[in-house]
């Protein structure tokens, strides 16, 4: 089991940037695919980005369109989401997700079995 704690959310103007962090517990962090999902008010949770355990492979939702970058530091048990060119449509609660021994694609397609953090709120003002 892994515990996840997100941080870095906040209020930013359109066009601004934020970097989200997710700190994970445990000693086998590099064995977990990690990802970010988001949920806007009144909408279903949706996949944003995923990364392999090694950090070599990344996978993004189409709406990211080169604006977001996921990365990880296995020495610090932390995954990041750098978000640039933020738009009001990016306003949502952002959740970190983890899954042992799978690809980021499975993290996305079988998300009910993921470990989840408590979320961090991102608000983009127009």
């Amino acid at each position: 089991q892994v515990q996840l704690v997100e941080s870095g959310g906040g209020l930013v103007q359109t066009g601004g940037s934020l970097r989200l962090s997710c700190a994970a517990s445990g000693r086998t962090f590099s064995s977990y695919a990690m990802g970010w999902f988001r949920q806007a008010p009144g909408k279903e949770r949706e996949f944003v980005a995923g990364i392999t355990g090694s950090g070599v492979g990344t996978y993004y939702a189409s709406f990211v369109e080169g604006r977001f970058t996921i990365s990880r530091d296995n020495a610090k048990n932390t995954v990041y989401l750098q978000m640039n060119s933020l738009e009001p449509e990016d306003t949502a609660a952002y959740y970190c997700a983890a899954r042992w021994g799978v690809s980021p694609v499975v993290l996305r397609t079988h998300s009910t079995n993921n470990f989840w953090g408590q979320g961090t709120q991102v608000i983009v003002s127009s």
Side-chain angles (χ1 to χ4, degrees), residues 4 6 20-22 33-40 43-51 59-61 63-64 68 70 79-81 83 89-99 102-122:
L4 307 171
E6 302 98 332
L20 306 183
S21 299
C22 172
M34 301 295 296
W36 291 93
F37 290 71
R38 70 185 188 183
Q39 186 168 20
K43 295 186 177 181
E44 293 187 353
R45 185 166 54 193
E46 62 179 353
F47 173 81
V48 176
I51 189 167
Y59 175 50
Y60 295 94
F63 62 78
V64 168
F68 296 179
I70 188 170
V79 64
Y80 305 97
L81 185 68
M83 305 187 295
E89 293 74 22
D90 296 315
T91 294
Y94 283 72
Y95 296 90
C96 180
R99 188 89 169 273
V102 302
S103 73
V105 174
V106 175
L107 194 77
R108 173 180 190 172
T109 59
H110 295 78
S111 62
T112 55
N113 292 330
N114 295 344
F115 292 106
W116 298 97
Q118 83 289 350
T120 186
Q121 184 69 41
V122 171

